[in-house]
Amino acid sequence: FTKFDRVRQILYNVRGKYMKRGMSMMKSSVKKIGALVAAAVMVCAIFVGCGSSSKYDTSTPDGALMTQLDALKTGDFSQLEGYNKEDLEATGVTEAQLKDLMNSFFGKSTYTVQNVETVSDTEAKVTVSGKAVDMAKFIPVVSTEFLAKATEFATKNDTSNMTQEEAAKQMITLLIDAAKSKKSSVELKDVTVTLTMEKKDGKWDVSSDNENMNSLTELLAGSTTDELAESMQGLFGGSLA
């Protein structure tokens, strides 16, 4: 079960659970869908792995981390362990679309390694500071634009005969168009976090324990997991589950 398998599973879950009712959902819950897709993309970023081509020394914990963050900003998911373009596009998201979405969300972020503490041969603490996307502010902007585009599409087109597959693809396209059109609205937030890196099978990767994932979310989204969930609940009402 590779990192790419986890990403595909996330994309399938979001599509299957929240898009199965088709284009009629655009009039009642598109903003919630937008937040869920955006959240799924952030989770995808957690599983970005180190590639063979990098301007950093991936044999070091800080070099491996910076490579992963760069891959996130560019949307270069070919570096995912187990990556397969055909398998990705089977989820209804094309390689180009995923790159556009990741770049729209994270392209303006900047990161700098401040300190590396070696704990053992297989563990290190890397302190990173930078400018993170203030996702609590950006997701509402994108979601509002998504709602407008979705409503316009549903008004101008006969969606009654669209299949679930067609509806899902259209909604993804509209979300990406919304994110790209509002990229200039991204606000950045100063962040400093310390992440645990683990060496497994000779490769450094971000530790997947809960505390570390919370720190990574803060680095990517400008808020901790709990803070982001709270802001999304305030915007969309109730649970996002």
Side-chain angles (χ1 to χ4, degrees):
F1 194 72
T2 67
K3 293 179 181 180
F4 181 62
D5 289 328
R6 295 180 190 179
V7 171
R8 286 196 299 139
Q9 186 177 58
I10 291 166
L11 293 172
Y12 273 125
N13 286 346
V14 171
R15 271 190 53 195
K17 189 172 183 180
Y18 295 101
M19 296 183 178
K20 62 184 179 181
R21 284 179 285 171
M23 295 299 290
S24 63
M25 295 183 69
M26 288 185 173
K27 297 179 180 179
S28 60
S29 42
V30 287
K31 289 203 293 184
K32 185 173 181 180
I33 295 169
L36 287 162
V37 175
V41 170
M42 284 195 293
V43 175
C44 292
I46 291 171
F47 301 114
V48 175
C50 300
S52 57
S53 177
S54 172
K55 62 183 180 182
Y56 303 101
D57 181 1
T58 56
S59 66
T60 64
D62 51 318
L65 176 59
M66 291 301 291
T67 297
Q68 295 180 37
L69 292 173
D70 270 10
L72 163 68
K73 290 170 60 176
T74 62
D76 183 9
F77 283 89
S78 63
Q79 298 184 63
L80 276 170
E81 176 191 346
Y83 177 82
N84 182 285
K85 180 179 179 180
E86 288 71 27
D87 287 344
L88 169 66
E89 297 189 350
T91 68
V93 182
T94 69
E95 191 176 61
Q97 284 179 321
L98 196 53
K99 285 184 178 181
D100 280 345
L101 189 58
M102 298 306 289
N103 185 259
S104 295
F105 275 106
F106 301 108
K108 290 187 176 181
S109 302
T110 59
Y111 307 106
T112 303
V113 173
Q114 299 296 334
N115 185 59
V116 181
E117 176 189 352
T118 301
V119 178
S120 68
D121 290 343
T122 58
E123 183 179 342
K125 304 284 188 181
V126 181
T127 300
V128 182
S129 64
K131 299 283 188 179
V133 176
D134 193 340
M135 202 64 70
K137 292 182 178 179
F138 187 52
I139 287 180
V141 171
V142 173
S143 298
T144 299
E145 181 68 12
F146 179 38
L147 176 61
K149 289 181 178 296
T151 301
E152 180 182 12
F153 183 88
T155 301
K156 292 182 176 180
N157 297 274
D158 181 7
T159 62
S160 59
N161 295 320
M162 291 187 76
T163 65
Q164 176 184 332
E165 187 76 15
E166 291 170 339
K169 288 183 178 180
Q170 185 60 51
M171 294 181 78
I172 290 169
T173 297
L174 292 172
L175 173 66
I176 293 169
D177 287 347
K180 289 172 66 176
S181 68
K182 292 299 179 180
K183 185 177 178 180
S184 61
S185 301
V186 169
E187 293 186 32
L188 300 177
K189 185 176 181 180
D190 290 325
V191 293
T192 299
V193 303
T194 298
L195 295 168
T196 299
M197 300 292 289
E198 296 179 339
K199 195 173 189 178
K200 297 179 180 179
D201 299 324
K203 296 182 179 180
W204 287 101
D205 203 355
V206 180
S207 171
S208 58
D209 67 80
N210 290 337
E211 183 178 353
N212 214 49
M213 290 297 96
N214 199 49
S215 295
L216 183 58
T217 301
E218 184 175 3
L219 182 64
L220 302 179
S223 305
T224 65
T225 305
D226 289 343
E227 290 169 345
L228 191 60
E230 184 177 346
S231 66
M232 291 302 95
Q233 287 174 9
L235 175 65
F236 301 108
S239 171
L240 290 179

